[in-house]
Amino acid sequence: MHNPSQSGASLEISDLSKAYGSFKALDAVSLTARQGEFLSLLGPSGSGKTTTLNMIAGFTSPTSGEIRVDGREISTLPPYRRDIGIVFQHYALFPHLTAAQNIAFPLQRRGMPRRDVAVRVAEALEMVKLDGYGDRYPRQLSGGQQQRVAFARAVVFKPKLLLMDEPLGALDKKLREDLQGEIRRIHRSLGITFVFVTHDQEEALALSDRIAVFNHGRIEQIGTSRELYETPATEFVARFIGEANIFSGTLVRGDAGLALDTPVGLLPVETRLPAGRQASLVVRPERLEIGKAPHAGSDPHVPATVRDVVYLGSNRRIEIVFDDGRTGIIRGSGRGTDVGAGERIDIRWSIADGYVVPFSSSQTGDGHGS
Amino acid sequence: MRGGIPRSPGRIFAWGMAGLVMLWLTAPVLVLLPLSFSGRRSFRFPPDTWSLRWYENFFTDSTWHASLLTSLKVGLLSTAASMILGTMAAFALHKLYFSGKAFVTGFLLAPMIFPGVVSAIAIFGVYLTWHISGTLTGFVAAHTVLSLPFVIVSVRSALRIFDWELEKAAASLGASPFETFRLVTLPLILPGVLIGGLFAFVISFDEVVVSLFLQTPFVRTLPVQMYLSVTESIDPTVAAASTIIVIVTVASILISMLFWQKRKTSDA
Amino acid sequence: MLNDTRLRWLILFVPVAVLGVFFWYGVADSLWKSFASPEIGLQNYAAFLQSPAEMAVLRRTFLVSIGVTAVCLAFGYPYAYLMTVTTARLRTLLMVVVLIPFWTSMMVRTYAWVALLQNNGPLDRVFKSLGIGGLALIGTPGAIMIGITQILMPFMIMSLYANMVRIDRRLLDAADSLGASPAVAFVKVFVPMTVPGVVAGCTLVFVLSLGFYLAPVLLGSPQHAMLSQLIVQQVSQLLDFGRAGAMAGVLLALALSVVALGAVLARPAIERGYGENT
């Protein structure tokens, strides 16, 4: 029905900055969203993702930089001329208007004839499965229903770009999962470019084509869910996306190749980084194996003590303490994971499952409440 | 009832005091009702004969009913003016951030705590030289500035609970600033604006001191006419006028409350 | 109105200008005249402050205002307290009784007192029939106070109520459970928490009663004049805007210093968190 290449807009942001006095809320951020793409802006609160959204919407003016939609610079346009749909965190439905009147609002502003408005409103209500609820006022609707009305209102005027600011944040887990499915369905059927702001990495992983990870007003990495998980660019990304065991130290060249010299021992690694650099090794919890005796082969391995075992049905989550006092996590199933608290174990992984990221001082920024 | 005043003696004392207050507040006005139906030209209470002649007098003697008309005119015009100006001021104050905002706020609200007589001579002094003393314009201007602070306070408290995200939402949906105000902000702060307007009307309809200076035999509000009548002669038309004022006031409150109720139920 | 700051300034400018022209210009003008009419100097203030008769008026104005404030507090406090503890239905009754006079014309209410308090009027006759002769209140400061109090009582009650209704009653229960008798709990726990409301109510009532005109004129007498009458007399009979301006200046200074004093007095209690969130 819709041709995605026609109904979605491309978004290009280049060198976008916002300073409040000496504080840089956003520091030279560049990113692009392709036509019809689902792009998430992910990061802890205060990382700049909402500032970016507000500047795309026109509620905040950039200190410097450009925002282009389909190649057209929009920074100077007032918000009401931008033709961008927005779903707000707390829905921002007009309480004095019914659901149908809320959805009709953007159509009326565009001077659409009354009869066409009625048809489009009915279609929109049907799209979000709220047929028959048009006459209700927002306060007569549940949270999830209000969310749907807000969504319908934001797309009914067929914007080419839809911004969503933590739209599921106020809902409970079950409802969120249902609505995530619906958002994906509607995204596919409309072909609109979606920019989705969230602090919830699972939500971002589940929904997005690509994710931009924000931290301290900068983008740490942009990539697909898989790229972010398997090849994080920085320690921050590694910690923020999923769970990670992280060993920091200096790269040294040993007789068997490169290794990372860490407080818990010399760990063989594969990386293009040169010897002598400070770096961190990231190993995902499900890549770790448990041995009862020290590993004899050439794979990296570290002794540890089991602190706690959490049984999660399909797998177990094992918290461990390394000898330098730092903690780590193992996820797995099967007999190998049958350990008890206090037990001494030896954990190991295949050298290819470790991923080395350069050390940078900004990585210490996880005091930021991630 | 838990906590509080020692149970029985304290409570009895408090209710005794409250009873006196209730009597004090309501009795005087109730006295006027029989007085307005007196058959004689006296303030004798209770009247020994009864008639409607003072009401008749009120509506036939032009000094009386003309003053009622003037009061209504001045009241409605100054209410409209202070509702518009007060909404503007409250709106701008809410949206602007600048040093000296407290000063500007004080500038706008101060007439509220000014002693009435001080406002009266200040207004009279300059209106006299501008030749608007004794004109409808002068009355409307004076009553507008006196009621403006009350509208500002009332609209401000409505704006405080207004969700500003709604303005962003309206803008994102293509509403210009003016459309946003007309279709979203104004309907939602309307209760505050209307309460402010009710205040403004009652203040204007009630005002004596400033109006006493501004009045002429040709332009005179009803409270001024009453004042002059009380000080100059014994004329129970005052009691009739009082009863009419009470009716107008209570009616305007009831009408606004009904309007309210209707809005509420149509919303629900 | 989201981004256009200039438009907002314009929106602010219009009411500020209207108030500036039709109110503040006059205030400035009358204060200016108090220093400059008929000639530049402090003679208007000197004449006022050196006249024993006019000082007596100022003193009377002050005393009547204090009296009114005290009476309003004495009667308003238990009234407001009952409003916070009684049943919803009784609270509505108490509220309506306060609000209806509040909305009723001041002229009407003052005139009602004229009718009630007049010589040989209803109250006079009630007293006479009780054998308490010669209690003609009209023309005395007592009558003025009765009239002003009736008009200002709602302001006091609403100020007190606004404060009391926010007080967490569990604190009183806590005091009870710690063994304080209800009377002690009331005095030691409840009363201190109502200080901001008391200060706000007293400030408001005192300042408003300073400038009262109707009640003194209609219920008082020239021998018991209040400052507002003196000011009006200077303007309407003598057209002496200089003298009137000086008196108005003194009255205004008095009113503003009471407001400032009220703010200072309420501060410690508000800082302790009993506050009105202004």
Side-chain angles (χ1 to χ4, degrees), chain B residues 73-86 108 111 123 127 136-152 200-201 203-204 207 210 214, chain C residues 15 18-19 22-23:
Chain B
K73 254 191 272 182
V74 171
L76 291 175
L77 288 173
S78 64
T79 298
S82 58
M83 269 166 84
I84 294 168
L85 293 171
L108 288 165
I123 287 173
Y127 286 21
L136 195 65
T137 315
F139 273 102
V140 172
H143 287 192
T144 301
V145 296
L146 292 178
S147 52
L148 186 56
F150 294 89
V151 179
I152 294 177
F201 183 79
I203 286 165
S204 165
E207 210 291 320
V210 177
L214 296 177
Chain C
V18 168
L19 208 61
F22 291 103
F23 182 78

Short mmCIF file of all heavy atoms in Angstrom, two decimals, chain B residues 73-86 108 111 123 127 136-152 200-201 203-204 207 210 214, chain C residues 15 18-19 22-23:
data_model
loop_
_atom_site.label_atom_id
_atom_site.label_comp_id
_atom_site.label_asym_id
_atom_site.label_seq_id
_atom_site.Cartn_x
_atom_site.Cartn_y
_atom_site.Cartn_z
N LYS B 73 -22.70 48.81 33.45
CA LYS B 73 -21.84 49.13 32.30
C LYS B 73 -20.37 49.12 32.71
O LYS B 73 -19.53 48.47 32.09
CB LYS B 73 -22.21 50.53 31.75
CG LYS B 73 -22.97 50.48 30.43
CD LYS B 73 -23.06 51.85 29.81
CE LYS B 73 -24.28 52.59 30.30
NZ LYS B 73 -24.47 53.92 29.70
N VAL B 74 -20.08 49.88 33.78
CA VAL B 74 -18.70 49.95 34.26
C VAL B 74 -18.20 48.56 34.65
O VAL B 74 -17.08 48.16 34.31
CB VAL B 74 -18.59 50.92 35.46
CG1 VAL B 74 -17.21 50.83 36.11
CG2 VAL B 74 -18.88 52.34 35.04
N GLY B 75 -19.06 47.81 35.33
CA GLY B 75 -18.67 46.47 35.78
C GLY B 75 -18.31 45.57 34.62
O GLY B 75 -17.27 44.92 34.62
N LEU B 76 -19.19 45.53 33.60
CA LEU B 76 -18.94 44.62 32.49
C LEU B 76 -17.72 45.05 31.68
O LEU B 76 -16.88 44.21 31.33
CB LEU B 76 -20.18 44.54 31.58
CG LEU B 76 -21.38 43.83 32.23
CD1 LEU B 76 -22.61 43.90 31.33
CD2 LEU B 76 -21.03 42.38 32.54
N LEU B 77 -17.60 46.36 31.42
CA LEU B 77 -16.46 46.82 30.62
C LEU B 77 -15.14 46.59 31.36
O LEU B 77 -14.16 46.09 30.78
CB LEU B 77 -16.62 48.31 30.28
CG LEU B 77 -17.70 48.61 29.23
CD1 LEU B 77 -17.91 50.11 29.09
CD2 LEU B 77 -17.30 48.00 27.89
N SER B 78 -15.11 46.95 32.66
CA SER B 78 -13.83 46.80 33.37
C SER B 78 -13.52 45.32 33.58
O SER B 78 -12.35 44.93 33.58
CB SER B 78 -13.85 47.54 34.70
OG SER B 78 -14.81 46.98 35.56
N THR B 79 -14.55 44.49 33.74
CA THR B 79 -14.31 43.05 33.87
C THR B 79 -13.68 42.50 32.60
O THR B 79 -12.68 41.77 32.65
CB THR B 79 -15.62 42.29 34.16
OG1 THR B 79 -16.14 42.75 35.40
CG2 THR B 79 -15.38 40.79 34.25
N ALA B 80 -14.25 42.88 31.45
CA ALA B 80 -13.69 42.42 30.18
C ALA B 80 -12.25 42.88 30.05
O ALA B 80 -11.35 42.08 29.72
CB ALA B 80 -14.53 42.94 29.02
N ALA B 81 -12.01 44.16 30.35
CA ALA B 81 -10.65 44.70 30.20
C ALA B 81 -9.68 43.98 31.13
O ALA B 81 -8.59 43.58 30.71
CB ALA B 81 -10.63 46.20 30.48
N SER B 82 -10.07 43.80 32.40
CA SER B 82 -9.08 43.21 33.31
C SER B 82 -8.93 41.71 33.06
O SER B 82 -7.86 41.15 33.32
CB SER B 82 -9.43 43.50 34.78
OG SER B 82 -10.69 43.01 35.08
N MET B 83 -9.96 41.05 32.52
CA MET B 83 -9.78 39.64 32.15
C MET B 83 -8.75 39.50 31.04
O MET B 83 -7.88 38.63 31.09
CB MET B 83 -11.11 39.03 31.69
CG MET B 83 -11.92 38.40 32.82
SD MET B 83 -13.62 38.05 32.33
CE MET B 83 -13.43 36.47 31.54
N ILE B 84 -8.86 40.38 30.03
CA ILE B 84 -7.92 40.30 28.92
C ILE B 84 -6.51 40.67 29.37
O ILE B 84 -5.55 39.92 29.18
CB ILE B 84 -8.37 41.21 27.76
CG1 ILE B 84 -9.68 40.68 27.17
CG2 ILE B 84 -7.30 41.30 26.68
CD1 ILE B 84 -10.37 41.64 26.23
N LEU B 85 -6.40 41.83 30.04
CA LEU B 85 -5.07 42.29 30.47
C LEU B 85 -4.46 41.34 31.50
O LEU B 85 -3.26 41.06 31.46
CB LEU B 85 -5.18 43.71 31.06
CG LEU B 85 -5.56 44.81 30.09
CD1 LEU B 85 -5.85 46.11 30.83
CD2 LEU B 85 -4.44 45.03 29.07
N GLY B 86 -5.30 40.86 32.42
CA GLY B 86 -4.79 39.98 33.47
C GLY B 86 -4.30 38.66 32.91
O GLY B 86 -3.27 38.13 33.34
N LEU B 108 2.57 44.77 39.27
CA LEU B 108 1.24 44.41 38.77
C LEU B 108 0.26 44.06 39.89
O LEU B 108 -0.94 44.26 39.75
CB LEU B 108 1.35 43.23 37.81
CG LEU B 108 1.99 43.54 36.44
CD1 LEU B 108 2.38 42.26 35.73
CD2 LEU B 108 1.02 44.34 35.58
N PRO B 111 -1.64 47.02 43.60
CA PRO B 111 -2.92 47.69 43.90
C PRO B 111 -3.80 46.88 44.85
O PRO B 111 -4.64 47.43 45.56
CB PRO B 111 -3.58 47.80 42.52
CG PRO B 111 -2.45 47.83 41.57
CD PRO B 111 -1.40 46.95 42.16
N ILE B 123 -5.50 58.10 41.93
CA ILE B 123 -6.25 58.02 40.67
C ILE B 123 -6.97 59.33 40.39
O ILE B 123 -6.89 59.88 39.28
CB ILE B 123 -7.23 56.83 40.76
CG1 ILE B 123 -6.46 55.51 40.64
CG2 ILE B 123 -8.31 56.93 39.70
CD1 ILE B 123 -7.30 54.28 40.89
N TYR B 127 -6.58 61.70 37.03
CA TYR B 127 -7.74 61.62 36.13
C TYR B 127 -8.38 63.00 35.98
O TYR B 127 -8.93 63.33 34.94
CB TYR B 127 -8.78 60.61 36.65
CG TYR B 127 -8.38 59.15 36.49
CD1 TYR B 127 -7.06 58.77 36.32
CD2 TYR B 127 -9.35 58.15 36.48
CE1 TYR B 127 -6.71 57.44 36.18
CE2 TYR B 127 -9.02 56.82 36.33
CZ TYR B 127 -7.69 56.46 36.20
OH TYR B 127 -7.35 55.13 36.06
N LEU B 136 -17.33 57.82 31.92
CA LEU B 136 -17.38 56.36 31.92
C LEU B 136 -15.97 55.79 31.75
O LEU B 136 -15.57 54.84 32.41
CB LEU B 136 -18.29 55.89 30.79
CG LEU B 136 -18.74 54.43 30.86
CD1 LEU B 136 -19.62 54.20 32.08
CD2 LEU B 136 -19.48 54.04 29.58
N THR B 137 -15.18 56.42 30.86
CA THR B 137 -13.79 55.99 30.64
C THR B 137 -13.02 55.97 31.95
O THR B 137 -12.31 55.00 32.26
CB THR B 137 -13.08 56.97 29.67
OG1 THR B 137 -13.96 57.25 28.60
CG2 THR B 137 -11.78 56.41 29.18
N GLY B 138 -13.15 57.04 32.72
CA GLY B 138 -12.43 57.14 33.98
C GLY B 138 -12.82 56.02 34.92
O GLY B 138 -11.96 55.36 35.52
N PHE B 139 -14.14 55.79 35.04
CA PHE B 139 -14.62 54.71 35.92
C PHE B 139 -14.05 53.35 35.47
O PHE B 139 -13.56 52.57 36.28
CB PHE B 139 -16.15 54.64 35.91
CG PHE B 139 -16.79 55.55 36.92
CD1 PHE B 139 -17.35 56.76 36.53
CD2 PHE B 139 -16.82 55.20 38.26
CE1 PHE B 139 -17.94 57.60 37.46
CE2 PHE B 139 -17.42 56.02 39.20
CZ PHE B 139 -17.98 57.24 38.80
N VAL B 140 -14.16 53.10 34.16
CA VAL B 140 -13.71 51.80 33.66
C VAL B 140 -12.21 51.65 33.89
O VAL B 140 -11.75 50.60 34.35
CB VAL B 140 -14.06 51.63 32.16
CG1 VAL B 140 -13.42 50.36 31.61
CG2 VAL B 140 -15.56 51.58 31.99
N ALA B 141 -11.44 52.72 33.60
CA ALA B 141 -9.99 52.64 33.80
C ALA B 141 -9.67 52.36 35.26
O ALA B 141 -8.87 51.46 35.59
CB ALA B 141 -9.32 53.93 33.34
N ALA B 142 -10.31 53.10 36.17
CA ALA B 142 -10.02 52.94 37.60
C ALA B 142 -10.38 51.53 38.07
O ALA B 142 -9.60 50.87 38.74
CB ALA B 142 -10.78 53.98 38.41
N HIS B 143 -11.58 51.08 37.71
CA HIS B 143 -12.00 49.76 38.18
C HIS B 143 -11.15 48.66 37.56
O HIS B 143 -10.93 47.62 38.17
CB HIS B 143 -13.49 49.54 37.87
CG HIS B 143 -14.38 50.34 38.77
ND1 HIS B 143 -15.73 50.16 38.86
CD2 HIS B 143 -14.08 51.35 39.62
CE1 HIS B 143 -16.24 51.02 39.73
NE2 HIS B 143 -15.26 51.75 40.20
N THR B 144 -10.69 48.88 36.32
CA THR B 144 -9.84 47.88 35.68
C THR B 144 -8.53 47.72 36.45
O THR B 144 -8.11 46.60 36.76
CB THR B 144 -9.54 48.28 34.22
OG1 THR B 144 -10.76 48.39 33.51
CG2 THR B 144 -8.66 47.24 33.54
N VAL B 145 -7.86 48.84 36.78
CA VAL B 145 -6.57 48.70 37.46
C VAL B 145 -6.76 48.12 38.86
O VAL B 145 -5.89 47.40 39.36
CB VAL B 145 -5.77 50.03 37.53
CG1 VAL B 145 -5.41 50.49 36.14
CG2 VAL B 145 -6.51 51.11 38.28
N LEU B 146 -7.91 48.39 39.50
CA LEU B 146 -8.10 47.85 40.84
C LEU B 146 -8.40 46.35 40.83
O LEU B 146 -8.04 45.64 41.76
CB LEU B 146 -9.25 48.60 41.55
CG LEU B 146 -8.96 50.05 41.88
CD1 LEU B 146 -10.18 50.70 42.53
CD2 LEU B 146 -7.75 50.18 42.80
N SER B 147 -9.03 45.86 39.77
CA SER B 147 -9.38 44.43 39.75
C SER B 147 -8.34 43.59 39.01
O SER B 147 -8.30 42.37 39.18
CB SER B 147 -10.77 44.22 39.14
OG SER B 147 -10.86 44.84 37.90
N LEU B 148 -7.47 44.25 38.24
CA LEU B 148 -6.46 43.52 37.46
C LEU B 148 -5.64 42.53 38.31
O LEU B 148 -5.47 41.37 37.91
CB LEU B 148 -5.55 44.54 36.76
CG LEU B 148 -4.51 44.01 35.78
CD1 LEU B 148 -5.16 43.18 34.69
CD2 LEU B 148 -3.74 45.17 35.15
N PRO B 149 -5.12 42.94 39.48
CA PRO B 149 -4.31 42.00 40.25
C PRO B 149 -5.05 40.71 40.59
O PRO B 149 -4.45 39.63 40.58
CB PRO B 149 -3.98 42.77 41.54
CG PRO B 149 -4.17 44.20 41.20
CD PRO B 149 -5.22 44.26 40.13
N PHE B 150 -6.34 40.81 40.87
CA PHE B 150 -7.09 39.62 41.26
C PHE B 150 -7.20 38.65 40.09
O PHE B 150 -7.14 37.44 40.26
CB PHE B 150 -8.48 40.02 41.78
CG PHE B 150 -8.42 40.80 43.06
CD1 PHE B 150 -8.31 42.17 43.06
CD2 PHE B 150 -8.44 40.13 44.28
CE1 PHE B 150 -8.22 42.88 44.24
CE2 PHE B 150 -8.36 40.83 45.47
CZ PHE B 150 -8.25 42.22 45.46
N VAL B 151 -7.37 39.21 38.88
CA VAL B 151 -7.41 38.34 37.69
C VAL B 151 -6.05 37.68 37.49
O VAL B 151 -5.96 36.48 37.23
CB VAL B 151 -7.82 39.14 36.44
CG1 VAL B 151 -7.84 38.22 35.22
CG2 VAL B 151 -9.17 39.80 36.64
N ILE B 152 -4.99 38.46 37.65
CA ILE B 152 -3.64 37.91 37.45
C ILE B 152 -3.41 36.75 38.41
O ILE B 152 -2.96 35.67 38.01
CB ILE B 152 -2.56 39.00 37.66
CG1 ILE B 152 -2.69 40.07 36.57
CG2 ILE B 152 -1.16 38.39 37.62
CD1 ILE B 152 -1.73 41.23 36.72
N ALA B 200 -13.38 40.34 39.42
CA ALA B 200 -13.31 41.69 38.86
C ALA B 200 -14.68 42.33 38.86
O ALA B 200 -14.84 43.50 39.25
CB ALA B 200 -12.75 41.62 37.44
N PHE B 201 -15.71 41.59 38.45
CA PHE B 201 -17.04 42.18 38.39
C PHE B 201 -17.53 42.56 39.78
O PHE B 201 -18.04 43.65 40.01
CB PHE B 201 -18.03 41.21 37.73
CG PHE B 201 -19.40 41.82 37.57
CD1 PHE B 201 -19.66 42.71 36.54
CD2 PHE B 201 -20.42 41.55 38.48
CE1 PHE B 201 -20.90 43.30 36.41
CE2 PHE B 201 -21.66 42.14 38.36
CZ PHE B 201 -21.91 43.01 37.31
N ILE B 203 -15.76 43.20 42.42
CA ILE B 203 -14.98 44.33 42.94
C ILE B 203 -15.48 45.64 42.35
O ILE B 203 -15.71 46.63 43.05
CB ILE B 203 -13.47 44.14 42.63
CG1 ILE B 203 -12.90 43.07 43.54
CG2 ILE B 203 -12.71 45.44 42.79
CD1 ILE B 203 -11.55 42.56 43.10
N SER B 204 -15.70 45.65 41.04
CA SER B 204 -16.19 46.86 40.40
C SER B 204 -17.57 47.23 40.90
O SER B 204 -17.86 48.39 41.21
CB SER B 204 -16.22 46.67 38.88
OG SER B 204 -16.99 47.68 38.28
N GLU B 207 -17.27 48.77 44.42
CA GLU B 207 -16.28 49.78 44.73
C GLU B 207 -16.96 51.11 45.09
O GLU B 207 -17.84 51.59 44.38
CB GLU B 207 -15.37 49.98 43.51
CG GLU B 207 -13.97 50.41 43.82
CD GLU B 207 -13.88 51.81 44.36
OE1 GLU B 207 -14.62 52.68 43.85
OE2 GLU B 207 -13.12 52.03 45.30
N VAL B 210 -12.97 55.00 45.45
CA VAL B 210 -12.46 55.65 44.24
C VAL B 210 -13.61 56.28 43.47
O VAL B 210 -13.52 57.43 43.01
CB VAL B 210 -11.69 54.63 43.37
CG1 VAL B 210 -11.22 55.28 42.08
CG2 VAL B 210 -10.51 54.05 44.13
N LEU B 214 -14.60 60.03 41.64
CA LEU B 214 -14.76 60.18 40.20
C LEU B 214 -16.17 60.59 39.82
O LEU B 214 -16.41 61.05 38.71
CB LEU B 214 -14.42 58.85 39.50
CG LEU B 214 -12.97 58.37 39.63
CD1 LEU B 214 -12.80 57.02 38.95
CD2 LEU B 214 -11.99 59.38 39.04
N PRO C 15 -0.36 45.13 29.71
CA PRO C 15 -0.92 45.35 31.05
C PRO C 15 -0.04 46.21 31.94
O PRO C 15 -0.55 47.02 32.71
CB PRO C 15 -1.06 43.93 31.63
CG PRO C 15 -0.31 43.04 30.75
CD PRO C 15 -0.19 43.69 29.42
N VAL C 18 -0.76 49.75 30.95
CA VAL C 18 -2.07 50.21 31.41
C VAL C 18 -2.02 50.53 32.91
O VAL C 18 -2.49 51.58 33.36
CB VAL C 18 -3.15 49.15 31.12
CG1 VAL C 18 -4.46 49.47 31.83
CG2 VAL C 18 -3.39 49.04 29.62
N LEU C 19 -1.42 49.62 33.67
CA LEU C 19 -1.34 49.84 35.11
C LEU C 19 -0.42 51.02 35.41
O LEU C 19 -0.68 51.82 36.33
CB LEU C 19 -0.81 48.57 35.80
CG LEU C 19 -1.28 48.38 37.23
CD1 LEU C 19 -2.78 48.28 37.29
CD2 LEU C 19 -0.65 47.13 37.82
N PHE C 22 -2.59 54.27 34.34
CA PHE C 22 -3.84 54.56 35.04
C PHE C 22 -3.77 54.34 36.55
O PHE C 22 -4.73 54.58 37.25
CB PHE C 22 -4.99 53.74 34.45
CG PHE C 22 -5.36 54.18 33.07
CD1 PHE C 22 -4.97 53.46 31.96
CD2 PHE C 22 -6.09 55.37 32.88
CE1 PHE C 22 -5.32 53.89 30.67
CE2 PHE C 22 -6.42 55.80 31.61
CZ PHE C 22 -6.03 55.06 30.51
N PHE C 23 -2.63 53.82 37.04
CA PHE C 23 -2.51 53.65 38.49
C PHE C 23 -1.21 54.25 39.03
O PHE C 23 -1.24 55.20 39.82
CB PHE C 23 -2.60 52.17 38.86
CG PHE C 23 -2.53 51.91 40.34
CD1 PHE C 23 -3.64 52.13 41.14
CD2 PHE C 23 -1.35 51.49 40.94
CE1 PHE C 23 -3.58 51.91 42.52
CE2 PHE C 23 -1.28 51.26 42.31
CZ PHE C 23 -2.40 51.48 43.09
#
